[in-house]
Amino acid sequence: MLENVESSPKRTYAPLAANENREDYSLRFAAHSFRRWSPFVVATTALGGIAYLADFAIGASIVLSYGFTSGVLAILAAAFIIFVTGVPIASACAKYGVDMDLLTRGAGFGYFGSTLTSLVYASFTVIFFSLEGSIMGQAFKLALGIPLPIGYLLSTLIVLPFALYGMGAVAKMQTWTQPLWIAGLILPFVVVAIREPGKIGEFASFGGTEGAGSGFSAIGFGLGMGVALSLIGQIGEQADYLRFMPEKTASNKRSWWGAVLAAGPGWVILGALKQIGGGLLAFLALGVIGKAEALEPIAPYLEAVKPALGPVALTFAALFVVVSQIKINTTNAYSGSLSFANFFSRVLHKHPGRVWYVLVNCGIALALMEFGAFGFLNKILGFYSNVAIAWIGAVTADLVIAKPLGLSPRYIEFKRAYLHKINPVGFGSMVVASAVSITAYFGAFGSFLAAFSPLLALLIAIVGVPLLAVLTKGKYYLARPNTVSGPDADAPDLQATQKCLVCGDDYELPDVADCAKQGGAICSLCCTLDSTCHDLCQEPGKSPVMLPMPTARASE
């Protein structure tokens, strides 16, 4: 055994990276001592992120393109798939205190393999930030006459204060704005139900604006489902909050599971209803404002509430849109910063702080808005869903198939010190599934598989993970055993802490590795940022370092 060598800290982090009130454990396991919120508060915060109105635009686009029958069935089928795949991901993130990136590392992708999914996830937050920001810009133009380019800039700047200050500020904002948002969400549908109940029956026979017809079309169903499935990456944003769930105990078991299911996969239930509602509002406003404006949520929303609110309808509609977009784009900016930080920390071995990546995320999204990304909504989301669903399918397959069968470790290992750079099980399954489905999407295998290419990606990923796990005998999941905080570790209390010999701070055991180079404990972030060790701890013949006994409990 190597002896523990006491040494003075060698690394000091930039002030922004060292401030955990802003940093929010962005690149590491969320310590139990930081998870001070109740399950209800965490769930409320997470559900605040689904206030987006892109659901209205997505639903309107699907129903107007493919008709009521095919469109609504497509929305419901996509919601079912998103819910089923979201349950294991949400529960794993809440149980292990990890975000989507850390979960992906330990669920079959490896340390560098998950950098690809970090970019996929980051692109999800950027795309949807730009779509939501575009909707807010449209509201500014309609209500205040502000030109779209300036409105896009304002919609970006307005979310920065919340996203920069992390979970504490986000939780307060989401809680305070929830009553207004809920009232604004249900108002147009109450007005329609009271004043024009017969219109709902007409909506059920709507055949779309592109000649799809009121009957069922398999191609229309597949294409619509592909657009709706682009939202499958939303589970990552939910997980970014669920990692702050308190530890599950006998006393909070019911509330814990209720919060995880509601704020994890449960978002898609309301999401699907919003998509169908968006289709209804677009249908009702179609003859008044035309198709182009019917696809912009603010215009059909305004037409629906006018009879009830009269002269204040425009003000209320604009306020509802702005509140909704602040709620969701704060989440997009926050989650995007986590993804970009995870990606660049592994590639560059540097971490200036999460808040800098908030600016990166918002800057790219603003550029997309200015280039008119909203006008290509269906094409952008239809293409993106092929990659996103391959990733989510591979992670889900590892959690529900490989781990229960013993083909992969029964816990989530996310630290560089114990992971291979690439795990061909999840990474390979995702790459193959994405390549085949994108090829199908562009028509190489005919129109039917082009329409159902996301389902093809999901099937290949789910089958590929256990198959590759068997073929590789699971040997690419762990580069060496984790004797510090793994399931076979001797430590009786994972909330106990160890001092990192590199930065000098105390960290709970799940966030610590035994480092051969330092001759003692190293935290996961210092391990990530080390560019000189060349994974010395994973060399054949190296013995694990004997760490001193933990000195304190994080909860004390």
Side-chain angles (χ1 to χ4, degrees):
M1 295 283 184
L2 294 176
E3 294 182 357
N4 182 66
V5 178
E6 292 291 341
S7 60
S8 60
K10 303 175 180 64
R11 174 180 285 117
T12 57
Y13 289 105
L16 290 177
N19 184 347
E20 287 298 353
N21 288 326
R22 294 191 181 187
E23 190 65 8
D24 273 0
Y25 293 82
S26 63
L27 301 181
R28 59 170 86 246
F29 155 85
H32 292 88
S33 60
F34 190 74
R35 303 184 215 173
R36 58 184 180 270
W37 296 276
S38 68
F40 175 78
V41 170
V42 175
T44 300
T45 305
L47 286 173
I50 65 168
Y52 51 85
L53 295 184
D55 264 339
F56 279 24
I58 289 170
S61 177
I62 292 173
V63 173
L64 263 58
S65 296
Y66 311 115
F68 174 86
T69 302
S70 300
V72 170
L73 288 177
I75 291 169
L76 295 177
F80 175 78
I81 293 171
I82 292 172
F83 187 92
V84 170
T85 57
V87 171
I89 291 174
S91 59
C93 289
K95 176 181 179 181
Y96 293 104
V98 295
D99 62 16
M100 196 66 198
D101 180 79
L102 270 59
L103 176 69
T104 301
R105 292 185 201 176
F109 281 72
Y111 183 70
F112 275 110
S114 63
T115 56
L116 173 62
T117 62
S118 292
L119 284 181
V120 171
Y121 182 29
S123 67
F124 172 88
T125 64
V126 167
I127 289 171
F128 279 92
F129 189 108
S130 68
L131 296 178
E132 301 296 342
S134 297
I135 294 170
M136 194 189 302
Q138 293 159 7
F140 285 142
K141 180 181 179 181
L142 185 62
L144 303 175
I146 297 175
L148 283 177
I150 298 177
Y152 296 156
L153 177 61
L154 290 177
S155 69
T156 302
L157 295 177
I158 201 169
V159 304
L160 289 181
F162 304 105
L164 290 174
Y165 278 91
M167 177 66 176
V170 174
K172 291 178 182 178
M173 181 274 291
Q174 298 289 15
T175 301
W176 292 344
T177 56
Q178 205 76 325
L180 174 62
W181 178 76
I182 292 175
L185 178 66
I186 64 175
L187 177 61
F189 303 106
V190 172
V191 174
V192 170
I194 293 175
R195 295 181 60 89
E196 299 181 287
K199 291 290 186 179
I200 298 177
E202 294 179 21
F203 177 54
S205 60
F206 178 57
T209 59
E210 300 179 13
S214 58
F216 177 76
S217 165
I219 299 297
F221 169 76
L223 291 171
M225 184 167 52
V227 174
L229 280 174
S230 65
L231 292 167
I232 199 167
Q234 178 65 31
I235 189 60
E237 295 195 345
Q238 306 307 113
D240 286 339
Y241 295 120
L242 287 174
R243 66 195 173 109
F244 298 125
M245 283 287 292
E247 185 176 4
K248 184 176 63 173
T249 63
S251 60
N252 73 358
K253 184 177 180 180
R254 289 187 177 181
S255 62
W256 191 94
W257 271 113
V260 168
L261 291 177
W267 76 266
V268 79
I269 297 175
L270 180 58
L273 292 175
K274 285 164 60 187
Q275 289 173 44
I276 297 172
L280 171 62
L281 295 184
F283 163 74
L284 294 175
L286 192 60
V288 179
I289 60 178
K291 180 181 177 181
E293 290 194 19
L295 293 173
E296 300 176 0
I298 177 66
Y301 183 94
L302 176 60
E303 291 299 319
V305 299
K306 269 183 181 179
L309 300 181
V312 300
L314 179 57
T315 301
F316 183 85
L319 179 63
F320 171 67
V321 170
V322 170
V323 168
S324 298
Q325 305 320 92
I326 290 175
K327 288 167 73 67
I328 178 54
N329 265 355
T330 296
T331 294
N332 282 328
Y334 178 79
S335 294
S337 70
L338 299 180
S339 297
F340 279 117
N342 272 298
F343 175 79
F344 284 109
S345 67
R346 277 172 287 170
V347 174
L348 302 178
H349 296 287
K350 296 182 184 298
H351 181 56
R354 178 190 67 83
V355 297
W356 290 105
Y357 294 110
V358 171
L359 303 179
V360 171
N361 182 279
C362 293
I364 298 174
L366 177 59
L368 287 178
M369 284 186 246
E370 302 292 1
F371 282 113
F374 190 85
F376 304 95
L377 181 67
N378 267 10
K379 292 182 179 179
I380 291 174
L381 300 183
F383 174 82
Y384 176 81
S385 65
N386 290 281
V387 180
I389 200 169
W391 164 39
I392 298 299
V395 172
T396 300
D398 178 83
L399 295 175
V400 302
I401 301 176
K403 290 191 183 305
L405 293 179
L407 300 174
S408 69
R410 62 181 184 272
Y411 75 109
I412 301 299
E413 182 55 74
F414 61 88
K415 296 180 286 295
R416 171 189 178 186
Y418 306 112
L419 294 173
H420 287 284
K421 289 182 174 62
I422 301 289
N423 186 341
V425 176
F427 182 81
S429 297
M430 174 185 169
V431 170
V432 172
S434 298
V436 173
S437 64
I438 290 174
T439 302
Y441 176 77
F442 285 107
F445 307 134
S447 60
F448 185 82
L449 285 182
F452 287 89
S453 60
L455 284 187
L456 184 62
L458 179 64
L459 179 63
I460 294 174
I462 290 177
V463 173
V465 164
L467 177 62
L468 288 176
V470 170
L471 293 176
T472 60
K473 299 180 180 179
K475 64 181 181 180
Y476 292 101
Y477 278 92
L478 293 178
R480 64 185 179 101
N482 181 349
T483 58
V484 179
S485 59
D488 300 321
D490 295 330
D493 181 12
L494 294 181
Q495 294 188 43
T497 62
Q498 283 279 6
K499 184 180 294 294
C500 173
L501 295 179
V502 178
C503 66
D505 293 326
D506 291 320
Y507 297 95
E508 293 179 5
L509 289 187
D511 210 17
V512 173
D514 48 328
C515 177
K517 178 186 175 185
Q518 298 298 328
I522 187 171
C523 71
S524 64
L525 183 53
C526 286
C527 182
T528 289
L529 300 180
D530 194 315
S531 60
T532 62
C533 74
H534 306 297
D535 296 323
L536 176 67
C537 62
Q538 298 180 13
E539 292 183 5
K542 284 290 181 183
S543 299
V545 178
M546 181 176 290
L547 299 182
M549 289 299 293
T551 55
R553 285 177 56 89
S555 58
E556 294 179 343

